[in-house]
Amino acid sequence: MRALTAEDGEVDLAERYAYPPDGVWLRANMVASLDGAAQRDERSAGLGGPADRRLFLLLRGLADVVIVGAETVRAEGYGPVRPTDDWGGVRDGRTPVPPLAIVSRSLDLDFDAPVFTEAREDARTIVLTAASADPARLKAARERADVIVAGEPLLDFQGAVRALAERGHRRLLCEGGPSVLAQMVAVGLLDELCLTLSPQLLGGDPTRILNGPPVPVPAELSLAGALRDDDFLFLRYTRRR
């Protein structure tokens, strides 16, 4: 066992969290309490702090596309990604912001919401859905978003990731929610997990960062980095190859 020692001064987060230079890479960013809860009052925001928010925004800036489930979009009040001053030059040569890619098989989405109507033309919101989606809802989605149909009757996450990569989105960021992340892990798509440990104990029967049936073959990860800010821990794990 080794001590987690403090480093002098601020670290370069953009350098620490840089994506690999080649290939498609799926990263997830999640937060959990010390007893494993992924939400407080049904929102993940209740677990975070200023440093967690800073990292959340930076990871968005580093990504080519941000994948999120429809339930999380509704619960967290998502809008389109906005640029921040902290990004510096991390998006040089790319669109000013990455698009959101919303996962929804039912297409129970408000297509008049800002997440669609306020998205930039060069970062139009994407909808990931299955061929079983209601045709009328699919037509409405195509009027307000770019639509990727993958799988029948369930969404094929591997096919969706391939389609995103074909559009030039090789640096992928998944922000959950827990059911979406569970499905991605189950089919072996997750390359990296960024996990913020919040210094809270909530009790009860909370949702964890994976909300789904047991994974048939548990993914084994290696610790790739650990940072501390006050009482928060910021852990980064990568899949063992």
Side-chain angles (χ1 to χ4, degrees):
M1 230 176 247
R2 299 178 182 177
L4 180 65
T5 57
E7 299 183 27
D8 292 332
E10 287 282 320
V11 300
D12 186 334
L13 290 178
E15 180 181 315
R16 290 289 184 102
Y17 287 88
Y19 280 83
D22 301 303
V24 178
W25 189 265
L26 177 63
R27 162 186 286 164
N29 183 36
M30 304 294 284
V31 61
S33 68
L34 295 179
D35 57 332
Q39 297 173 340
R40 179 177 177 181
D41 299 326
E42 299 184 352
R43 298 183 63 196
S44 62
L47 295 170
D52 176 62
R53 180 66 179 172
R54 178 185 170 198
L55 180 59
F56 171 87
L57 294 173
L58 174 66
L59 294 183
R60 286 182 153 199
L62 293 170
D64 293 333
V65 64
V66 179
I67 303 169
V68 63
E71 185 176 345
T72 298
V73 168
R74 290 188 289 265
E76 306 280 350
Y78 264 59
V81 177
R82 309 289 188 189
T84 74
D85 294 337
D86 290 341
W87 283 359
V90 301
R91 296 204 60 79
D92 288 351
R94 296 187 285 168
T95 58
V97 296
L100 283 177
I102 302 174
V103 178
S104 178
R105 187 166 68 92
S106 69
L107 295 181
D108 181 18
L109 297 164
D110 179 3
F111 295 113
D112 292 321
V115 70
F116 294 103
T117 61
E118 296 180 10
R120 296 173 55 99
E121 281 299 318
D122 56 4
R124 200 165 184 241
T125 297
I126 301 167
V127 173
L128 306 176
T129 192
S132 56
D134 177 79
R137 299 300 296 165
L138 194 57
K139 181 176 182 294
R142 287 183 166 133
E143 291 173 355
R144 290 299 179 99
D146 292 341
V147 177
I148 292 175
V149 177
E152 168 70 35
L154 301 178
L155 177 63
D156 173 11
F157 280 92
Q158 292 172 319
V161 166
R162 283 195 301 270
L164 289 171
E166 288 168 359
R167 293 173 175 228
H169 303 317
R170 71 167 190 86
R171 289 163 285 202
L172 310 171
L173 173 64
C174 176
E175 293 181 349
S179 62
V180 168
L181 183 56
Q183 293 174 74
M184 289 184 166
V185 170
V187 294
L189 284 173
L190 185 68
D191 295 299
E192 178 180 338
L193 173 65
C194 299
L195 177 63
T196 299
L197 279 184
S198 174
Q200 300 182 40
L201 293 170
L202 302 183
D205 186 20
T207 297
R208 299 187 298 169
I209 65 168
L210 296 187
N211 184 19
V215 178
V217 180
E220 294 191 6
L221 307 179
S222 297
L223 182 64
L227 298 172
R228 175 184 174 185
D229 186 88
D230 290 332
D231 296 315
F232 284 81
L233 281 179
F234 300 87
L235 306 175
R236 187 167 67 89
Y237 287 88
T238 55
R239 183 167 59 176
R240 292 181 182 176
R241 301 292 180 179

